[in-house]
Amino acid sequence: MLTFFSRWYQERFSDPQAITLMAILVGLALVIYFAGGLLAPLLVALVLAFLLEWPVAQMLKLGINRTTGASLMLVLFLGVVVLLTFGLIPSIWRQGVSLMTDLPSMIDKGLQTLQALINQYPQFINPEQLNVMVAELKKLLDTQHVIDIAKQLIGYSASLLVLMVYAILVPLLVFFFLKDKDQLINGSKRFFPTNRQLARKVWFEMHQQIFNYIRGKVIEIVIVGIASYVLFAVMGLSYAALLGVLTGLSVLIPYVGATLVTLPITLVAFFQWGFSAEFGYLMLGYGIIQALDGNLLVPILFSDAVDLHPVIIIAAVLVFGGLWGVWGVFFAIPLASLVKAVINVWPKTEIEQPLPLPES
């Protein structure tokens, strides 16, 4: 057994560049894991600067200097943020509060319907078990309990101080990342080993994939969210803006997000219309949007960015989401692609096999 592990170690870690690559990856992972909360504004600014670098590069090709291009992109980005903050978020917040208030009534209506079905078909479900389940559910949906859960979900991230820090620091960091990109990259090289050719190869392989993935995911969120909102608004569904935003954000969690967001949509539609033609039309339209997203939009946006089996994607969402929360879920697929790229380029030294002895 010791010989086997010794041989495996020599095959995988005999190249100094492999050790350098492993040290860089482990170091970055440790920094993000232990200091991610402190460095959150810096990491957010890095992601935004990474996304905004492409239009700045296009401006450079047109003869616009980098400082001007970075300033224009920052102004445009801040304009979009202000528009969302004062145009969309207040409406979503009001609808969210209203939905939390109406949620117990929705549950009660659903339970009444279920109770009627059980009374009609008692051979399938034991009424006593249903009564116990209803009692526990009503206890869970107690108003104060719901408020406590909402407070836990909001947490401290919505505090005024944190919002002010993000509002001031993140735009400044984005501007300097865009303006002084080359200077910052050259200055950071001193902190990395010189024999980093393997790490550079992995970065070149991942750079375009990460950009394509983030850009595609943002486009997918916008398209799915707008399409869902239009459907909900045309059908007259309550909380259309809130449910549209939730549907758009659900694409962040592949395969699981769509399932999770279907429950509140179904509950709201049933509470509003019951088992009617409107309920059926809405669920049909919602199913068409999900089918077009999975079978048309995703292949177009991510044909070159994602080449992973669904099992690997779900496992990546669980692992990285557990480590880094929402950011881990958002970057689960790029991180899984990074692991795959590292495995593909990892050197393997063939150990010479002893020549067989000639037969006598």
Side-chain angles (χ1 to χ4, degrees), residues 203-219:
W203 170 247
F204 286 154
E205 181 176 343
M206 289 299 302
H207 178 272
Q208 193 61 36
Q209 287 192 18
I210 293 176
F211 176 76
N212 289 340
Y213 173 78
I214 298 177
R215 180 191 61 183
K217 187 59 67 175
V218 171
I219 295 174

Side-chain angles (χ1 to χ4, degrees), residues 26 68 164 172 251 286 294 324:
V26 172
T68 303
M164 290 178 61
L172 286 176
V251 304
Y286 174 74
W324 296 305

